[in-house]
Amino acid sequence: MSEEAYRAIYGRAKANLEKMGKPDLLDILRPVQPGTVAARSFYERFGLRLNLFSAVEADTAFGFLGKKLASPIMIAAMSHTTLDGHYPNAFRDISAAARKFGTQYWIGDCTDEVWKEVASAALSSVRIVKPWRDRQRILASLKLAEDTGAFAVGMDFESGFYAADCAPQSAEALAAYVKAARLPFIVKGVGSVKAARMARDAGAAAIIVTNHGGSLGPSWGHPLEVLPEVAREVGDDLLVLAESGLRRGEDALKLLARGAKGVLMGRGLLIGLFAGGSEGVLELLQLLNQELKRCMVLAGCPDLASVTGDILVPR
């Protein structure tokens, strides 16, 4: 049933994107960019171990920094600056779906003016700012998020190479941003134990293990590779999250089994957006979580706490 449902959503998105003249938009329907292909391929390196009789239903309730969510699958911090050229005010439709479904909405690259709209339309969102060269710009955006009702803030440090007005950041700068933010601070762009330790020592509330969905290129470590060592090192000290290349509920389960407590999905959810706006995103979120629950039962996991690495079969 889920296969048919996925095909239907993909089919609607494909038809709508073709009407728009953007059939290959953001490499979402059939990834062809080397980094995106690599990010997807890692999920095939693990199977799931069938373990019947240990669970007859699965509870996907997730505690996110004190907030109870319906699912560990959250909306990744996608760039409004990029999306708005293809789907004006995408954040409104995506955040509305997140609210109906009961998960957390995050937003990435956006101007302060757009953030004010987000803060008004999507209460208690998470704002992820860019690593601007201008430190005062960063501090001002973090302060604005705090003043306008953000649930948490953070920075996608891996984006320091993407634009002329961004720059790589030091450990000292990280510590200064965490100290300046009076909200939980989330470090996005962790791909090693060393970086995870630095985030912990700076006082971060959570980290996101990611290779930016493959956008950095195919050579960089995938979360499925580095999550176990990162989770062993810092998992009791801060919340370990993961993203990169998710398209299915079983992908989410594999990341959880490797050590993530929650996952984020970005480009994959855009398929729902282009299939049917806010209702399309909601439909896809529901389908993903249904698949996650089904796989948890098949793997013998009645809740998220029972998801461990032994449900995976290396291939």
Side-chain angles (χ1 to χ4, degrees), residues 182-205:
R182 289 187 288 181
L183 294 171
F185 193 96
I186 299 162
V187 176
K188 182 176 179 289
V190 171
S192 68
V193 167
K194 186 175 182 179
R197 286 196 202 107
M198 289 180 176
R200 176 194 61 195
D201 295 346

Side-chain angles (χ1 to χ4, degrees), residues 238-251:
L238 41 65
L239 184 64
V240 178
L241 308 173
E243 62 169 33
S244 291
L246 279 83
R247 293 293 188 275
R248 299 289 298 259
E250 62 185 29
D251 297 340

Side-chain angles (χ1 to χ4, degrees), residues 16-31:
N16 288 332
L17 287 168
E18 287 175 348
K19 288 178 184 177
M20 296 168 60
K22 301 175 180 180
D24 300 319
L25 179 65
L26 301 175
D27 213 19
I28 60 175
L29 283 175
R30 187 179 179 184

Side-chain angles (χ1 to χ4, degrees), residues 207-237:
I207 58 174
I208 302 177
V209 180
T210 179
N211 65 4
H212 211 89
S215 297
L216 298 175
S219 296
W220 300 98
H222 192 277
L224 285 170
E225 295 178 287
V226 302
L227 266 170
E229 59 188 15
V230 168
R232 279 194 300 269
E233 180 68 21
V234 302
D236 292 334
D237 302 325

Side-chain angles (χ1 to χ4, degrees), residues 21-44:
K22 301 175 180 180
D24 300 319
L25 179 65
L26 301 175
D27 213 19
I28 60 175
L29 283 175
R30 187 179 179 184
V32 295
Q33 297 298 321
T36 315
V37 172
R40 283 294 308 138
S41 69
F42 270 92
Y43 293 99
E44 300 305 317

Side-chain angles (χ1 to χ4, degrees), residues 86 133 144:
H86 307 294
R133 290 184 183 277
L144 176 64

